[in-house]
Amino acid sequence: MYDVIVVGGGPAGATAAEDLARSGHTVALLDRAGRIKPCGGAIPPRLITDFNIPESQLVAKVTTARMISPTGRKVDIPIEDGFVGMVDRAFFDEFLRARAASAGARRLTGTYRRIERDENGPRVIYRDKADGTEKSVSAKLIIGADGARSNVARDEVPGGAEIPYVIAYHEIIEAPTGQGDYDPLRCDVIYDGRISPDFYGWIFPHGNSASVGMGSMVREVDVKQATADLRAASGLTDCETLRREGAPIPLKPLDRWDNGRDVVLAGDSAGVVAPSSGEGIYYAMVGGRVAATAAAACLASGRVRDLRLARQLFMREHKTVFRVLASMQKAYYRSDERRERFVSLCHDVDVQRLTFEAYMNKKLVHARPMAHLKIGLKNLAHLTGLVPAART
């Protein structure tokens, strides 16, 4: 009998397991080995600080972000006084799982099947990877961190099966040497309906490799062909492909993260990927941390309502940012004409500074009211069509 079983060993699950183990709880971490999530791999400085990530996990330090419009206009946005760290999920996630185990969590390798209950509480039934048999592990509480389209969420939490998501696909390629205008210190974000009609494509450096991919909610989009087109347009077709990965990425937090009994969700399972940007690692780890906090509170008090703390704590800090990003996605991702206007806005120095201050610190910045006013007026002018799409 464990205090908590964590289902899923990505950043959310591994963080929850580590936090609980370090606070003296008995924890089992169930993970399906071998799966690597498609991800650009960007992590902000706040994540590195808050979660004590060693520099050895960073495969690159990006100092510039470049926005590319449907007509090919390019805007370089420097990251002043800092950098964005890049990680490779194939290694980063395993580092987090191993760290949780070193803190005292017991690792189990297998695939979640279902939850059963008796007079002693819940049991997670899983298929053991080593011998293929069904096994069970009992605990007082369960944290579901098994990703977008979470089976735990589907089985246990109202609304868990209806979360909207983007299908993301990327290819990890050997880093080019002299091909195209690839820069190992720059992230490229491509807003082009020919690559993605409702999201974006990306080229993110990973040191000796690079992530090239895209996402879309439009089911008819051929994500592999779109990625091939992106590689061709960027002069990266001849780079060796090291691996290919695809998965859904949720774009809206669930209205409820617990079942009012013995289950609470974390990370992608709860839908905590930022709209517009698709950023997920930081929010997943925060989600894991607040789920661990809620579980610990519930274990200490015996009150199942304390499981609600996970969503309450997360939304208290991040709801406004998510709301702003969702509005931006709705306003600017609907057509190439709107995407062209969005890239025009990115020329503004105040937009650049405020955007990266918010990204690096994970909060909206209110220190320069005149800058906010100017940005608001420019935004209004573009959304109403008062200025040409290419006007900066």
Side-chain angles (χ1 to χ4, degrees):
M1 171 67 74
Y2 290 89
D3 289 330
V4 182
I5 303 166
V6 181
V7 179
T15 299
E18 182 188 358
D19 281 7
L20 286 164
R22 291 196 186 282
S23 63
H25 296 89
T26 56
V27 185
L29 176 61
L30 173 65
D31 185 60
R32 184 181 63 186
R35 179 182 177 275
I36 306 170
K37 181 182 176 181
C39 179
I43 61 172
R46 182 171 173 182
L47 183 154
I48 296 170
T49 300
D50 287 359
F51 296 96
N52 193 27
I53 303 303
E55 187 159 327
S56 60
Q57 284 300 310
L58 303 182
V59 294
K61 293 182 178 180
V62 168
T63 56
T64 304
R66 182 169 72 169
M67 310 299 171
I68 303 176
S69 79
T71 60
R73 290 188 303 133
K74 301 176 177 67
V75 180
D76 281 4
I77 303 178
I79 302 170
E80 297 180 353
D81 302 321
F83 65 90
V84 173
M86 306 300 297
V87 297
D88 189 323
R89 294 289 296 274
F91 307 106
F92 183 68
D93 289 18
E94 177 55 26
F95 161 78
L96 296 176
R97 289 189 288 267
R99 191 166 70 173
S102 69
R106 180 191 174 195
R107 292 183 65 173
L108 304 172
T109 304
T111 304
Y112 166 88
R113 301 303 295 271
R114 62 190 179 277
I115 294 172
E116 295 180 353
R117 294 176 176 85
D118 57 26
E119 65 276 6
N120 296 316
R123 293 179 295 143
V124 170
I125 312 300
Y126 68 98
R127 187 178 69 245
D128 186 88
K129 184 174 182 179
D131 58 22
T133 62
E134 279 198 355
K135 296 183 179 179
S136 69
V137 57
S138 300
K140 298 171 186 174
L141 298 174
I142 297 165
I143 293 177
D146 51 331
R149 299 168 69 183
S150 159
N151 289 321
V152 175
R154 179 202 64 202
D155 293 345
E156 296 290 331
V157 177
E162 286 83 42
I163 189 166
Y165 58 88
V166 161
I167 292 295
Y169 173 81
H170 80 159
E171 295 176 358
I172 297 294
I173 64 171
E174 205 170 69
T177 53
Q179 287 133 303
D181 62 348
Y182 175 83
D183 185 339
L185 300 180
R186 185 188 67 219
C187 285
D188 284 357
V189 184
I190 299 92
Y191 297 100
D192 188 339
R194 292 166 295 185
I195 301 301
S196 172
D198 59 338
F199 208 55
Y200 63 81
W202 69 81
I203 302 170
F204 286 2
H206 283 187
N208 294 328
S209 62
S211 166
V212 183
M214 52 77 65
S216 178
M217 290 183 69
V218 179
R219 300 295 175 258
E220 292 76 21
V221 171
D222 185 334
V223 295
K224 292 184 179 180
Q225 184 58 53
T227 301
D229 293 342
L230 175 55
R231 288 180 63 171
S234 306
L236 303 176
T237 298
D238 294 334
C239 296
E240 181 183 354
T241 302
L242 305 178
R243 65 178 196 263
R244 299 176 174 88
E245 292 138 9
I249 296 177
L251 288 180
K252 182 182 179 183
L254 288 173
D255 293 331
R256 183 170 176 175
W257 294 8
D258 70 279
N259 67 350
R261 186 177 185 182
D262 49 25
V263 173
V264 63
L265 303 177
D268 281 12
S269 300
V272 293
V273 173
S276 178
S277 69
E279 182 193 358
I281 301 177
Y282 172 77
Y283 295 111
M285 296 180 74
V286 171
R289 178 150 289 173
V290 296
T293 300
C298 180
L299 290 168
S301 69
R303 299 187 301 258
V304 294
R305 68 173 181 270
D306 285 345
L307 294 177
R308 302 175 195 167
L309 283 170
R311 192 177 192 281
Q312 291 170 358
L313 291 171
F314 186 94
M315 288 301 177
R316 183 180 300 166
E317 184 168 2
H318 302 293
K319 177 174 68 175
T320 301
V321 170
F322 271 51
R323 186 173 293 167
V324 169
L325 291 175
S327 298
M328 188 178 78
Q329 180 173 338
K330 184 177 180 181
Y332 285 109
Y333 286 19
R334 56 173 40 167
S335 69
D336 273 354
E337 191 266 346
R338 287 289 183 93
R339 293 185 190 93
E340 198 73 36
R341 292 180 178 278
F342 176 68
V343 173
S344 293
L345 282 176
C346 291
H347 278 275
D348 189 280
V349 173
D350 287 314
V351 169
Q352 296 176 11
R353 288 176 177 168
L354 291 174
T355 296
F356 272 100
E357 285 175 12
Y359 173 79
M360 306 284 258
N361 301 308
K362 293 302 165 211
K363 60 180 65 174
L364 295 178
V365 181
H366 302 290
R368 293 191 293 274
M370 290 307 297
H372 281 276
L373 176 61
K374 185 177 76 170
I375 292 167
L377 292 173
K378 281 193 171 186
N379 189 54
L380 183 63
H382 275 286
L383 290 178
T384 56
L386 292 176
V387 298
R391 178 171 173 176
T392 60

